[in-house]
Amino acid sequence: MCIRDRYIANNVWKIKEGKEIKICLEVINKTKQEINGIVLEDFVQPIFKLKNEFEGVKPDKILKIKSEEKLVWEIPKMEPKETRIFIYKIVPKVGLNEKYSFSLAKAKYKKDQITKVVFSNLLTTRD
């Protein structure tokens, strides 16, 4: 199981206030068996506003945690080698000229009665 790729769908060099950014999460079951009870989480930092536009499956929950929003998708099961893609949009409240690193997405699942956790790649704006 892995979050194989987490990427910005539209190349972003600098964060511009009000310019929409599309975030994509690609989750793959790399095991040779079905995985059940998967919970995928991603965070929207306080400098962004979450747009209520999702491509594909909408999050099961959107939780407010302090100044961040946490998106939660609950996936009942994934077959071996199955891939799922989750896409959402954010809009920066402020512009930034320096390189920016987003928080990591996290997936939890159970395999052989053991809870496992995997994280996404580090997502940053381009130089």
Side-chain angles (χ1 to χ4, degrees):
M1 172 75 183
C2 77
I3 303 174
R4 193 193 102 208
D5 208 2
R6 181 169 179 243
Y7 56 94
I8 300 172
N10 41 341
N11 283 333
V12 175
W13 298 94
K14 301 291 179 203
I15 293 179
K16 295 181 183 164
E17 182 179 348
K19 185 165 173 49
E20 181 179 283
I21 299 171
K22 187 188 291 189
I23 306 291
C24 302
L25 293 158
E26 186 175 5
V27 180
I28 302 171
N29 177 0
K30 287 189 162 187
T31 72
K32 294 179 181 174
Q33 64 192 76
E34 181 181 285
I35 292 177
N36 299 297
I38 303 132
V39 178
L40 176 63
E41 301 175 343
D42 203 5
F43 290 88
V44 178
Q45 293 88 3
I47 70 163
F48 300 101
K49 179 180 185 268
L50 176 66
K51 287 189 80 172
N52 239 352
E53 293 178 27
F54 302 92
E55 293 180 25
V57 180
K58 292 181 180 181
D60 294 289
K61 299 176 198 164
I62 300 174
L63 307 170
K64 187 84 169 158
I65 300 174
K66 296 184 182 175
S67 57
E68 292 185 320
E69 288 182 282
K70 179 165 86 170
L71 307 176
V72 180
W73 289 269
E74 296 172 357
I75 308 162
K77 71 176 185 173
M78 287 181 72
E79 299 294 332
K81 310 301 179 206
E82 181 179 352
T83 300
R84 303 244 184 134
I85 297 175
F86 303 87
I87 301 172
Y88 65 93
K89 296 175 184 175
I90 55 176
V91 178
K93 297 177 186 174
V94 296
L96 297 173
N97 287 324
E98 66 270 4
K99 188 173 184 175
Y100 182 80
S101 296
F102 293 81
S103 63
L104 300 177
K106 174 172 75 172
K108 292 186 284 190
Y109 65 98
K110 282 195 175 177
K111 183 177 175 190
D112 302 325
Q113 303 302 321
I114 298 171
T115 299
K116 300 198 175 209
V117 177
V118 294
F119 292 93
S120 68
N121 58 315
L122 180 63
L123 181 63
T124 61
T125 55
R126 296 180 180 259
D127 286 330

